[in-house]
Amino acid sequence: MDVKSTKASLVLADSAPINKSRLGIHSSLLPCSQAGPTFSNNILAISSKKPGKFDDVRSNGWLDAMRSSSPPRENILKNFTSVEVASHDGDIAYRAWMIKYPSALNSFRQIMECAKNRTIVVFLDYDGTLSPIVDDPDRAFMSADMRFAVKRVAKYFPTAIISGRSRDKVYELVRLKELYYAGSHGMDIMFPAEEMASGDRSICTKSTDHQGKEVNLFQPASEFLPMINEVFRTLVEITKNIKGAKVENHKFCVSVHYRNVDENSWPIVAQLVYDVLKEYPRLRITHGRKVLEVRPVIDWDKGKAVEFLLESLGFSTNQDVLPIYIGDDRTDEDAFKVLQSGNRGYGILVSAVPKETNAFFSLRDPSEVKEFLESLVEKRMKRIVIGLEGKLPPQKPLNSNYVDSTSEERRPELLEGKLPPQKPLNSNYVDSTSEERRPELYVE
Ligand SMILES: [Mg+2]
């Protein structure tokens, strides 16, 4: 296979057409075939429709987006190589894609070089990143090993979870008090009040966390709360007879899962949601992995949440900061873009199939995410030991086995200043002040 000549076709594009709906133009600007049906009438009308009559959701690209949101692996290869290929060629396609988006494990030494004398700030998505994607979203549990890895990372690096779920739900799943939490795609951010280093304090409200500690809440979509609750109740009602459909309330957004719905019924789900949203021009739809996400039309996303947290915690103006964001979903692309712009940090896409992305590196699945997080801690511990003892003989960098010596040759832009700017290498490698502040680091 000629890798270069087929590279573009190997990439999983966001295959649904980019149209007004998918760009967040609210439904009031889309063509409407009828005005304001009552929900009960609407259910009857939808139920009697035959396939082929779901013109709204076909013309606005929803069905295409739904079908492409989580396609089977073999279909991806067929669609993006222009020829039908055997399933084992998937590895070839993936390796070709990794030329553009190298494994963060294989590139670990390079990432650490860039992180020298900087504070790494870690941002993590939850579903599909820390937990596997499962049929029942209520059972998307992270493993004990993953929880331990995240806990250790949070001990050594400022760490935040940014999820589409409600903040309370993701806390319930993660159960680590060491983290910062942002739910509802970043529309519900909580962090300790005393850690707000900069930014406009008046935009936050005071509250208490699960331990009764004073926290700041930032909820830019708070005015939408009654509307979201109303839409949630309506969507639950109108989808109750669709086998496998599941509607979740994430506080400032609502998810309609169709992963377990027969594909023949997907147009019904789409049309029902579409008809409800016609009544709410201030809400919009985005497409996740076999889920329709109903969200307020506000200029806020996971990328904005990353910027907000960096600024609030005092990192945004600090050149000695390297943010790393790990996520698997389309909504994570907003965060990748923020880090990509100005070479501020690294986005890492979690994907087992080739996809177009604004990330810089890739990891295949949550198990590789865990390995990467463990490597961060291991490297950090190594620095501490060397810094404390000062007597160790020179050693090969940890994770040297991860280094893909050819990756830099394949990606000449890595050598041309596209990486986030690095501090001079003659600076002290060890952050001695953090050790003074954190005596517990001596123990391990
Ligand atoms: Mg995800």
Side-chain angles (χ1 to χ4, degrees), residues 125-129 133 162 164 289 302 327-332:
D125 171 46
Y126 181 77
D127 291 271
T129 299
I133 297 291
I162 302 184
R289 290 170 68 166
K302 287 185 171 183
D328 74 311
D329 218 333
R330 201 169 291 171
T331 57
D332 297 313

Side-chain angles (χ1 to χ4, degrees), residues 84-203:
E84 194 157 352
V85 294
S87 60
H88 66 268
D89 284 347
D91 286 339
I92 296 173
Y94 193 78
R95 284 200 296 272
W97 176 75
M98 286 176 69
I99 293 172
K100 192 172 180 184
Y101 305 102
S103 163
L105 290 174
N106 291 345
S107 309
F108 190 78
R109 187 170 68 180
Q110 175 191 333
I111 295 172
M112 289 300 100
E113 277 296 310
C114 194
K116 273 183 183 177
N117 303 304
R118 292 178 165 194
T119 300
I120 294 176
V121 182
V122 180
F123 295 95
L124 300 165
D125 171 46
Y126 181 77
D127 291 271
T129 299
L130 300 181
S131 74
I133 297 291
V134 294
D135 287 343
D136 182 355
D138 287 336
R139 303 195 61 77
F141 302 123
M142 63 196 294
S143 66
D145 286 350
M146 180 65 93
R147 179 171 291 104
F148 184 66
V150 174
K151 183 180 176 71
R152 296 201 76 208
V153 161
K155 183 175 181 180
Y156 299 114
F157 310 98
T159 303
I161 303 267
I162 302 184
S163 170
R165 291 176 182 264
S166 73
R167 179 170 47 76
D168 285 342
K169 181 66 180 179
V170 78
Y171 181 84
E172 187 182 308
L173 289 166
V174 176
R175 298 198 311 275
L176 292 172
K177 64 181 187 311
E178 297 90 340
L179 308 178
Y180 307 108
Y181 288 89
S184 307
H185 297 292
M187 290 182 282
D188 188 8
I189 301 176
M190 184 174 79
F191 56 97
E194 76 271 13
E195 294 188 30
M196 186 158 190
S198 59
D200 182 1
R201 293 171 193 271
S202 68
I203 61 175

Side-chain angles (χ1 to χ4, degrees), residues 36-47 234 237-238 272 276:
T38 63
F39 296 133
S40 56
N41 289 341
N42 195 38
I43 293 171
L44 293 174
I46 293 300
S47 301
T234 302
E237 177 64 25
I238 64 168
L272 285 172
V276 169

